Amino acid sequence: FQEFPGGWSGSSLRGGTMDLLLLLLLHGLLLLPLAALLLYRCSSTFQYLCKMAFFNCWIVAMATLLSPFAAFRGRSVENMKLLRASLLPLKRFYGIRMRVRGSERLQLPGPFVIVCNHQASLDLIGMVEVIPDRCVPIAKRELLYLGTVGWACWLSGIIFIERHRRDAAIGVISRTAGTMRRENVSRLCVWVFPEGTRNPGRSMLPFKRGAFHLAVQAQVPIVPIVISPYCDFFSSKEKRFTSGTCTIQVLPRVETRGLSPKDVPKLTESVWQAMAKALAEMSMSDHGDQDTEQLQLGEDRGSPQGQGDTAESSK
Ligand SMILES: CCCCCCCC/C=C\CCCCCCCC(=O)SCCNC(=O)CCNC(=O)[C@H](O)C(C)(C)COP(=O)(O)OP(=O)(O)OC[C@H]1O[C@@H](n2cnc3c(N)ncnc32)[C@H](O)[C@@H]1OP(=O)(O)O
Ligand SMILES: CCCCCCCCCCCCCC(=O)OC[C@@H](O)COP(=O)(O)O
């Protein structure tokens, strides 16, 4: 009998604490989003982290949702359309305005190789803006191991290379050249980031030679694409990600017909020069649309191959 009331009061005490805890938890649940919102407003670092997390989550979610549909078709470049469509809305979420110049230069009847500067994973947003049909990127093999993302990339026909195993990479590139030549009827294009790694900022690394060997082996033109520096609205180093405008400039194509492997260093250098020039112009007149437009018109039909063979050693 003596134990009974004690038991009672003990459990009612426990009940009281439980109520209090529940109340606190409820407040916490209400306050947490508010606190997060406040932090998002005040801290640009937190904003950056949230936006990057969302970027990665979006990609994983899309890859997970769409891979089964892509798998239905099997491994095919046609799946690139799915991948592209799934990434197109991203720019709206982030308030990034995309301006594309010279997109008509991508309307070629035959196959070609696209080379593009590589600043960050954000390049995907620009890439889907201009990538033509039946065009696959060359990517580092590590992407294959990202679960459903790797699966989606594989299903879309993305070409994987092991960057540190040069001979194997060259083998893959040679086979790709063969495919490009063979599939002339239903043309296949390849997108390469010839810097070989991400390089933030207003400059470009020296180019790796693979893309240019590919174009020469397949005897197809090279179409350079330059994405303007993100510095205005994005920096992974400073953890800054706001909204802004990005310009994508498609440069005149560079023919490779008749060129042989020994011409590759010079070809690489001249394309690098043309792209570096465009990038510098973009950095200077970030918001001066007309300036760049006029400059571009002036050099429109000029052969970019003629300029600069100041073979700056690329190692
Ligand atoms: C279904 C719905 C799903 C929805 C959601 C899905 C989510 C989507 C997510 C994602 C989308 C995809 C996103 C893709 C983006 C990825 C981006 C990246 O991963 S960028 C990294 C990889 N890219 C490269 O690395 C460039 C290519 N690299 C090269 O071309 C290099 O040249 C490489 C690897 C072949 C060799 O690199 P070396 O570091 O050894 O340097 P070198 O100077 O280029 O070459 C050394 C010597 O080898 C010769 N060489 C190079 N390639 C050759 C070749 N093909 N044939 C003959 N010789 C060659 C060169 O001429 C050079 O020799 P001499 O110095 O001239 O004597
Ligand atoms: C299992 C969950 C994993 C979550 C991962 C999130 C997916 C993000 C995939 C984004 C692909 C971006 C492509 C890209 O930009 O790759 C970087 C390489 O080009 C260059 O590599 P690096 O600079 O040499 O490291």
Side-chain angles (χ1 to χ4, degrees):
F1 180 77
Q2 223 166 13
E3 265 177 47
F4 195 56
W8 258 112
S9 74
S11 75
S12 79
L13 188 70
R14 238 171 284 139
T17 347
M18 285 294 264
D19 283 352
L20 200 72
L21 272 176
L22 215 70
L23 206 73
L24 274 173
L25 196 74
L26 219 68
H27 271 84
L29 279 181
L30 282 174
L31 284 177
L32 214 63
L34 271 176
L37 204 71
L38 208 71
L39 201 60
Y40 187 84
R41 295 254 155 199
C42 300
S43 159
S44 60
T45 305
F46 186 69
Q47 192 170 352
Y48 167 87
L49 291 173
C50 287
K51 284 185 169 180
M52 284 320 282
F54 181 80
F55 183 79
N56 289 330
C57 287
W58 181 267
I59 288 176
V60 172
M62 284 302 142
T64 311
L65 275 173
L66 296 177
S67 295
F69 294 98
F72 221 59
R73 188 146 40 186
R75 190 173 194 209
S76 156
V77 272
E78 291 303 317
N79 285 330
M80 276 302 294
K81 289 196 179 119
L82 225 55
L83 191 149
R84 177 167 179 260
S86 73
L87 299 182
L88 270 174
L90 276 171
K91 65 170 180 200
R92 265 179 255 285
F93 300 150
Y94 292 118
I96 301 174
R97 205 166 73 87
M98 287 287 174
R99 230 170 11 196
V100 182
R101 300 216 185 100
S103 56
E104 70 283 353
R105 288 173 176 149
L106 288 165
Q107 262 121 51
L108 304 180
F112 52 96
V113 173
I114 293 174
V115 293
C116 179
N117 59 324
H118 196 15
Q119 301 179 60
S121 50
L122 222 60
D123 290 342
L124 290 183
I125 299 181
M127 181 176 172
V128 296
E129 208 54 37
V130 289
I131 194 169
D133 275 351
R134 296 188 56 79
C135 179
V136 287
I138 289 187
K140 55 176 183 179
R141 198 177 165 79
E142 291 91 313
L143 289 189
L144 253 186
Y145 309 122
L146 292 179
T148 51
V149 176
W151 193 35
C153 288
W154 184 83
L155 284 169
S156 312
I158 289 178
I159 301 158
F160 295 99
I161 56 164
E162 278 180 89
R163 290 180 291 183
H164 50 272
R165 287 185 54 207
R166 183 190 294 169
D167 291 341
I170 289 178
V172 171
I173 289 172
S174 301
R175 281 198 295 282
T176 307
T179 312
M180 284 179 90
R181 271 204 307 263
R182 242 176 298 121
E183 298 207 351
N184 234 339
V185 224
S186 51
R187 121 219 127 141
L188 179 76
C189 295
V190 178
W191 181 300
V192 189
F193 291 107
E195 290 170 280
T197 188
R198 287 167 285 187
N199 173 49
R202 296 175 186 275
S203 63
M204 278 191 312
L205 298 173
F207 287 169
K208 305 274 180 192
R209 304 249 156 96
F212 305 91
H213 277 290
L214 173 64
V216 167
Q217 276 173 32
Q219 292 284 293
V220 299
I222 295 168
V223 180
I225 294 183
V226 182
I227 303 179
S228 67
Y230 299 142
C231 320
D232 276 355
F233 61 93
F234 177 86
S235 161
S236 58
K237 211 168 107 201
E238 297 162 29
K239 307 251 175 300
R240 177 167 53 78
F241 195 167
T242 57
S243 55
T245 301
C246 179
T247 306
I248 303 174
Q249 172 101 49
V250 184
L251 300 185
R253 70 172 183 274
V254 179
E255 293 293 347
T256 66
R257 187 154 308 153
L259 296 188
S260 69
K262 69 173 188 336
D263 301 312
V264 164
K266 208 171 155 202
L267 174 70
T268 308
E269 183 57 27
S270 68
V271 173
W272 189 93
Q273 292 286 351
M275 288 173 70
K277 186 164 166 257
L279 194 63
E281 279 165 11
M282 281 171 160
S283 315
M284 274 190 306
S285 61
D286 271 344
H287 303 291
D289 303 37
Q290 279 143 353
D291 296 355
T292 342
E293 209 91 79
Q294 272 160 12
L295 272 171
Q296 204 43 47
L297 278 176
E299 60 185 12
D300 222 13
R301 302 281 167 241
S303 142
Q305 231 171 290
Q307 22 167 303
D309 43 14
T310 43
E312 162 192 312
S313 121
S314 48
K315 285 290 103 70

